[in-house]
Amino acid sequence: DQGRFMYDGGNDLSQWINSAEAHNTVDIVNDAPKTKGSENRIAYFVTNNGFDFSHAVENINSVEFNRYIFFVRPCYWIVSDILTPNEPDLLTTYNQTWHSSVNFTMNDDTKAGKTTFSDGKNIQVVPLNPERLTASMPKGYFASAYGNARDINYISYKQTSSGTVKFDTVLY
């Protein structure tokens, strides 16, 4: 996520940092009444020497948001976001975002993103269904200290659809 910053909401930067778009999650945009997560819970969690697995559930903006995270020790994560609207015919835009403390580059063919750390220790964000996604790298912010934010790009994967939508992403 976007580092440290005051969450006072008093300016555009604070409002952006408070938004779903500024976090490693999925922002849900539809015409349903706007609600904060009325139910959010860890549905399942297991950890052992080989892997970690978690399943979290949240209901927001009339959509059930299920996030499954499978961490295969020590190298990679598989993140599956499954979003099911309460009204199956409701056209909804979903914006999955990924952030880092450095800028990303993006492969135009695969839509995979890669961080740009100068020491070469980078992470790749690889969507497993790129043909369904509109990918971009909008400008956002990273705050390395309270009240000190700098411009930085992040990865945005969008889908607009009615019915259930799925994002499957590998991080390594």
Side-chain angles (χ1 to χ4, degrees):
D1 286 353
Q2 292 309 291
R4 300 178 294 182
F5 203 79
M6 301 301 291
Y7 291 96
D8 63 7
N11 59 50
D12 291 343
L13 178 59
S14 291
Q15 289 177 11
W16 187 84
I17 286 178
N18 281 317
S19 71
E21 187 176 5
H23 295 82
N24 297 325
T25 190
V26 179
D27 190 18
I28 301 164
V29 181
N30 60 27
D31 290 332
K34 303 301 177 217
T35 60
K36 296 205 180 248
S38 56
E39 172 198 351
N40 49 23
R41 61 186 171 87
I42 302 295
Y44 187 77
F45 180 79
V46 64
T47 186
N48 60 42
N49 291 333
F51 66 87
D52 295 339
F53 177 79
S54 69
H55 170 210
V57 180
E58 180 175 19
N59 285 302
I60 188 164
N61 294 353
S62 299
V63 174
E64 182 180 272
F65 177 5
N66 286 273
R67 175 165 271 189
Y68 300 87
I69 302 174
F70 183 52
F71 173 51
V72 181
R73 296 179 188 272
C75 296
Y76 66 93
W77 295 261
I78 300 170
V79 179
S80 293
D81 292 328
I82 301 172
L83 301 115
T84 305
N86 295 342
E87 299 175 37
D89 296 329
L90 181 64
L91 190 64
T92 303
T93 298
Y94 302 94
N95 183 22
Q96 183 190 60
T97 55
W98 297 100
H99 299 269
S100 177
S101 59
V102 296
N103 283 311
F104 282 92
T105 60
M106 184 178 286
N107 179 302
D108 291 334
D109 295 326
T110 65
K111 300 180 183 174
K114 184 177 180 180
T115 56
T116 57
F117 287 101
S118 60
D119 65 3
K121 296 177 182 174
N122 291 295
I123 189 166
Q124 294 192 51
V125 179
V126 183
L128 299 182
N129 54 353
E131 69 284 350
R132 289 189 259 160
L133 306 174
T134 301
S136 64
M137 290 190 307
K139 180 184 77 94
Y141 303 97
F142 180 77
S144 57
Y146 288 108
N148 182 16
R150 60 183 163 85
D151 291 354
I152 198 161
N153 70 17
Y154 62 96
I155 295 174
S156 167
Y157 297 128
K158 287 186 180 179
Q159 294 186 60
T160 299
S161 182
S162 56
T164 298
V165 166
K166 188 174 185 183
F167 293 87
D168 289 315
T169 309
V170 173
L171 309 170
Y172 72 96

